[in-house]
Amino acid sequence: MFTGIVEELGEVVELTWKGEGARLAIKGPVVTSDAGHGDSIAVNGVCLTVVENLGDTFTTEVMKESFDRSSLGALQVGDRVNLERAVKVSDRLGGHIVQGHVDGVATITERVPGDLWETVRFTLPEDLSRYIVEKGSITVDGISLTVTEISEVAFAVSLIPTTLEVTTLGRKGVGDQVNLEVDVIAKYVEKLVSTGRTGGNQA
């Protein structure tokens, strides 16, 4: 479980393909400071398992399923990635509940600089539009953000200077892809409502 508050920008230092999967080595001194074998670290919003801690770098194995459902397949050595360790029960929930399970991939369509923030617009996969509402939460490349505009085919967020500085969204341009995770609460509500309409389980 994560909160969508990026702890640091990591760097891909190794990418070794093994059939349809790959071994990734990512440099991130903050997230590796207390990481052990089997711990979870979100990489651009994808929950990955630490295989080995090499001091300021950790390795992880990425399977075909993760590549098929996310933008991780486009990573190259030298790319920067958003990193966040799994949240502790005692931690503050600074963003919102994030599982690290990518629901879809979007593309940046526009960046509009403002005086104190920047508006970034994205495509919206059709099957995800029902889960997103204006002023609601969405995770973009592992970053907890608030939706400022929404339509059936697109949405936008407004980014403050800090977010632009400390995350990959300050570096990505029009045409680049990002990972999306919608608010899991919306999916549970949909399931409960759907079950109620069909009668559900009877005690």
Side-chain angles (χ1 to χ4, degrees), residues 13-203:
V13 295
E14 181 187 335
L15 175 58
T16 305
W17 289 93
K18 299 179 179 180
E20 295 181 321
R23 178 180 184 269
L24 273 177
I26 299 173
K27 184 176 182 179
V30 173
V31 299
T32 58
S33 62
D34 61 353
H37 175 78
D39 286 350
S40 296
I41 295 177
V43 178
N44 281 356
V46 183
C47 179
L48 298 178
T49 301
V50 174
V51 174
E52 189 176 9
N53 185 336
L54 303 174
D56 64 354
T57 301
F58 70 95
T59 65
T60 184
E61 304 286 346
V62 186
M63 59 183 178
K64 182 178 184 296
E65 173 78 4
S66 296
F67 285 127
D68 288 345
R69 292 181 175 270
S70 75
S71 64
L72 291 186
L75 287 179
Q76 299 180 8
V77 171
D79 284 351
R80 305 303 296 270
V81 289
N82 298 320
L83 301 177
E84 182 191 355
R85 289 169 290 188
V87 66
K88 297 178 181 178
V89 175
S90 60
D91 286 348
R92 292 183 176 90
L93 187 63
H96 70 284
I97 297 173
V98 177
Q99 296 182 298
H101 301 161
V102 173
D103 293 305
V105 175
T107 301
I108 297 174
T109 60
E110 186 179 19
R111 301 190 69 119
V112 183
D115 293 334
L116 298 175
W117 60 83
E118 182 172 343
T119 298
V120 184
R121 293 187 173 87
F122 307 84
T123 59
L124 179 59
E126 183 179 354
D127 60 333
L128 299 184
S129 63
R130 65 185 183 274
Y131 300 116
I132 302 173
V133 296
E134 187 174 346
K135 304 304 180 184
S137 296
I138 190 168
T139 309
V140 179
D141 265 0
I143 310 163
S144 175
L145 297 170
T146 300
V147 176
T148 56
E149 301 173 21
I150 179 70
S151 72
E152 290 298 317
V153 296
F155 74 97
V157 298
S158 293
L159 305 179
I160 61 174
T162 298
T163 303
L164 294 170
E165 180 181 353
V166 303
T167 75
T168 57
L169 285 184
R171 294 161 170 77
K172 291 194 172 184
V174 172
D176 286 340
Q177 291 189 321
V178 296
N179 297 316
L180 300 182
E181 181 184 332
V182 300
D183 192 341
V184 67
I185 295 174
K187 292 191 284 187
Y188 278 123
V189 169
E190 179 186 55
K191 178 69 174 179
L192 289 168
V193 171
S194 175
T195 301
R197 287 174 179 171
T198 60
N201 296 324
Q202 300 297 319

